[in-house]
């Protein structure tokens, strides 16, 4: 089998990028803005990513960095966090798409073991955290699949090539 090296399809077409601070990032602050919750922020390879997914990712990133005590964010900090969360969501979706294309799969128990290695209880892990843990493992599998050499050469072929190209392998002394 040969595995040609492929680049992930990096086609993220912007559906409609909403203003970064449309929904406050504080938990439970969404209020009466339920219609914004399902608003499409961006479309990646035909799959929409919603405002609620963006908010969930941003909160996950904050909690990873600060734990339970979330800091008060300035508007500039919120914009930076939202931009970073959006980029992470796009990378995650592209990674998932490439995994499907290459038929790379990560089992639930692999994700659990990975979380345990990170000292995280898999039973108490938020779905978004599981997605990112799975993405790390999926990335490793994709690299293994696309990193396999497409040329298979046994010892005889290597020896024949060496003898046919001796000049390339001779050290030149000056």
């Amino acid at each position: 089998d040969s595995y040609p090296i492929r680049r992930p399809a990096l086609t993220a077409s912007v559906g409609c990028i909403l203003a970064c601070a449309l929904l406050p990032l504080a938990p439970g602050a969404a209020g009466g803005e339920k219609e914004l919750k399902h608003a499409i922020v961006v479309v990646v390879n035909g799959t929409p990513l919603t405002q609620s997914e963006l908010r969930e990712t941003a909160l996950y990133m904050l909690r990873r960095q600060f734990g339970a005590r979330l800091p008060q964010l300035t508007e500039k900090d919120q914009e930076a966090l939202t931009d970073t969360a959006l980029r992470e969501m796009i990378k995650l979706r592209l990674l998932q798409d490439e995994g499907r294309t290459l038929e790379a799969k990560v089992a639930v128990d692999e994700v659990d073991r990975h979380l345990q290695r990170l000292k995280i209880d898999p039973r108490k892990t938020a779905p978004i955290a599981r997605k990112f843990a799975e993405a790390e493992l999926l990335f490793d599998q994709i690299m293994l699949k696309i990193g396999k050499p497409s040329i298979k050469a046994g010892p005889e072929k290597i020896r024949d090539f060496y003898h046919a190209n001796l000049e390339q392998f001779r050290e030149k002394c000056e």
Side-chain angles (χ1 to χ4, degrees), residues 1-18:
D1 289 342
S2 67
Y3 297 91
I5 294 180
R6 300 167 21 104
R7 292 195 175 133
L10 298 176
T11 56
S13 62
V14 176
C16 64
I17 299 213
L18 302 174

Side-chain angles (χ1 to χ4, degrees), residues 30-131:
E33 301 175 359
K34 288 184 181 179
E35 64 277 356
L36 290 177
K37 197 172 165 183
H38 300 292
I40 295 172
V41 176
V42 67
V43 177
V44 180
N45 288 342
T47 305
L49 298 173
T50 65
Q51 182 69 27
S52 63
E53 291 173 298
L54 177 59
R55 185 173 181 274
E56 179 184 21
T57 302
L59 282 170
Y60 167 71
M61 292 171 68
L62 275 176
R63 286 194 174 111
R64 272 187 60 189
Q65 187 171 358
F66 297 104
R69 289 183 53 112
L70 298 180
Q72 198 67 11
L73 297 177
T74 65
E75 189 173 324
K76 187 176 180 179
D77 290 339
Q78 268 194 12
E79 288 176 12
L81 175 64
T82 304
D83 183 57
T84 302
L86 182 60
R87 289 174 191 271
E88 290 303 311
M89 286 173 51
I90 291 169
K91 284 194 273 186
L92 179 67
R93 187 56 51 101
L94 291 172
L95 192 60
Q96 290 168 336
D97 289 350
E98 190 66 12
R100 272 191 294 282
T101 301
L102 295 172
E103 298 178 358
K105 294 181 175 117
V106 177
V108 173
D109 61 325
E110 287 179 83
V111 176
D112 289 346
R113 284 193 303 275
H114 182 63
L115 288 167
Q116 288 169 343
R117 281 192 299 273
L118 297 172
K119 307 275 191 256
I120 299 171
D121 185 350
R123 295 168 294 165
K124 298 178 183 176
T125 304
I128 188 71
R130 290 188 72 80
K131 280 184 188 177

Side-chain angles (χ1 to χ4, degrees), residues 144-172:
L144 286 174
K145 283 186 176 270
I146 66 173
K148 288 187 177 179
S150 58
I151 300 171
K152 301 240 179 195
E156 304 84 32
K157 282 188 178 182
I158 294 171
R159 187 176 45 253
D160 292 345
F161 179 83
Y162 172 76
H163 288 297
N165 299 284
L166 277 174
E167 287 302 312
Q168 291 180 28
F169 297 100
R170 292 184 199 244
E171 200 173 310
K172 296 184 180 178

